[in-house]
Amino acid sequence: MMSGVADPTLRALRLLELLQSATLCSVADLADRLGVDERTVRRDVRRLTSAGVCVESVRGRYGGYRLAPGSQVLPIVFSGEEAAAVFLALAGADPVAEEAGTAVRTARSKVRRAMRPADAGRGDAVLRAVARGTPHGRTDPEPAVMLTLAEAVESRRAVEVRYRDRHGDPSRRTIHPHELVTRSGRWYVVATDPAAGEERTFRADRVVTARALLETFAAPERDDAAAWLVEHFAAADYRWTVVLHVHATEDHVRAHLPPTVARLEPLVPTAPEGGAPWHRVEIHADRLDWIPAVIASLGCEVRIESPDELRDLVRAAATRMMGAAQGHRA
């Protein structure tokens, strides 16, 4: 049997943490995790019960111990990975009122105080990385992965990652992570890929594992990583480059084509009095089949500059629409 925790108080706190981490814990599993015999586990459970912690005993083949609602608030201890998960969830909060914003801040403070001292520095790295990111991220990434990436951003350490691209193809690479940023509900790692010799973005939820290395790096100077990420998405190297001239205001175009999807610039400095301006719209895409629907939804004059394949798709879509309007049958 592994060497157990000798101090009864420390062992009781560890037992409480284990009970908090699962719906039901068997006596054998608790004994193995604590490195003690089953009789000691039962004695420690009685110690918790006498201290006001409501621990239920479940009999039977699949029995064990579980926590039950009690009259006292239980102390909670978070591991580094658990704290990272809570921080990411709180980063996705959308406080619409000042009171809600205060609640998020105080919740973060309580989580910070509930961490073990050894994990506190790691949690601080996540907090700082989350604070620099754009709000409203989701908790898709593995907390342990985000914890490693946040620490690497903070300490400028290289990280070896196992990654799956959008097609599901796996790869293993070393990256220099500069920032963690959220956009449209997802976390992204802005990093240099030394093997490719260029800056890249990686979806954090597609990082399978992350391991910090001893190698350090100097990060590029950048005022706004979120703005860089938007420009990076809009200029990404996809199969098709679509150029449209759209006769509408910027707000109208952006309602259908956000900055992450399209670059937008005015064709003339000012619009004629009482009229809408013309804008050049540039879209980078893997497929063209969705763009005719976007053009139709704009509800304004649109001219296709390139590619010719898009003109063919629009003509085909227009023919189908005309047939639907005239009631033609196949």
Side-chain angles (χ1 to χ4, degrees):
M1 178 180 293
M2 61 177 291
S3 177
V5 180
D7 187 285
T9 301
L10 293 178
R11 195 172 61 242
L13 289 174
R14 174 61 176 156
L15 173 62
L16 177 58
E17 180 187 353
L18 292 173
L19 292 172
Q20 288 175 335
S21 301
T23 304
L24 180 68
C25 298
S26 69
V27 177
D29 182 54
L30 290 172
D32 182 63
R33 302 280 294 275
L34 294 170
V36 297
D37 57 34
E38 295 186 6
R39 185 173 62 178
T40 302
V41 171
R42 295 187 177 92
R43 185 167 60 245
D44 288 342
V45 167
R46 289 194 296 270
R47 184 178 291 110
L48 287 178
T49 302
S50 64
V53 178
C54 295
V55 182
E56 291 182 340
S57 176
V58 180
R59 298 186 181 278
R61 179 180 178 184
Y62 300 104
Y65 292 111
R66 67 186 178 194
L67 293 179
S71 58
Q72 297 186 21
V73 178
L74 296 176
I76 298 177
V77 178
F78 289 103
S79 69
E81 288 77 10
E82 290 168 340
V86 175
F87 291 154
L88 291 173
L90 291 174
D94 188 7
V96 296
E98 181 178 353
E99 293 80 3
T102 300
V104 170
R105 289 191 295 272
T106 57
R108 287 177 180 171
S109 297
K110 290 179 180 179
V111 173
R112 171 66 175 77
R113 289 195 297 271
M115 294 177 67
R116 296 187 185 91
D119 289 326
R122 305 182 72 196
D124 286 341
V126 175
L127 277 177
R128 285 189 287 268
V130 167
R132 287 195 296 266
T134 309
H136 319 315
R138 298 193 320 204
T139 56
D140 289 340
E142 286 292 332
V145 167
M146 286 294 287
L147 190 61
T148 299
L149 292 172
E151 287 183 298
V153 168
E154 185 75 13
S155 61
R156 301 306 185 200
R157 296 269 299 275
V159 178
E160 182 185 68
V161 298
R162 289 170 54 216
Y163 188 75
R164 291 189 179 275
D165 63 17
R166 62 179 180 271
H167 304 297
D169 296 330
S171 65
R172 186 186 297 269
R173 67 189 75 201
T174 297
I175 63 173
H176 296 169
H178 312 149
E179 295 284 351
L180 289 171
V181 182
T182 59
R183 186 71 190 179
S184 301
R186 295 197 182 278
W187 284 98
Y188 294 89
V189 186
V190 180
T192 298
D193 186 340
E198 61 182 10
E199 280 192 284
R200 301 186 59 185
T201 60
F202 300 89
R203 278 255 301 267
D205 59 300
R206 290 177 180 163
V207 178
V208 181
T209 61
R211 182 174 66 90
L213 306 176
L214 295 178
E215 174 190 353
T216 60
F217 62 90
E221 295 184 4
R222 184 184 296 114
D223 294 331
D224 191 346
W228 180 91
L229 187 66
V230 170
E231 176 64 18
H232 174 81
F233 284 156
D237 184 18
Y238 291 107
R239 180 183 177 187
W240 300 101
T241 298
V242 175
V243 178
L244 309 174
H245 289 182
V246 181
H247 195 201
T249 64
E250 179 178 353
D251 289 343
H252 182 84
V253 177
R254 284 302 184 207
H256 301 272
L257 294 167
T260 51
V261 174
R263 285 174 163 178
L264 184 65
E265 60 183 54
L267 286 173
V268 292
T270 57
E273 185 175 353
W278 281 92
H279 283 90
R280 181 184 185 275
V281 177
E282 182 178 312
I283 304 170
H284 294 253
D286 276 333
R287 305 191 330 269
L288 297 176
D289 54 356
W290 59 274
I291 297 181
V294 174
I295 293 175
S297 69
L298 285 168
C300 61
E301 188 176 357
V302 178
R303 298 173 184 172
I304 300 173
E305 294 300 307
S306 63
D308 290 336
E309 289 83 355
L310 179 59
R311 292 190 178 91
D312 295 337
L313 287 175
V314 170
R315 290 190 189 99
T319 300
R320 289 193 298 270
M321 295 299 289
M322 288 296 295
Q326 295 171 10
H328 288 174
R329 294 182 178 178

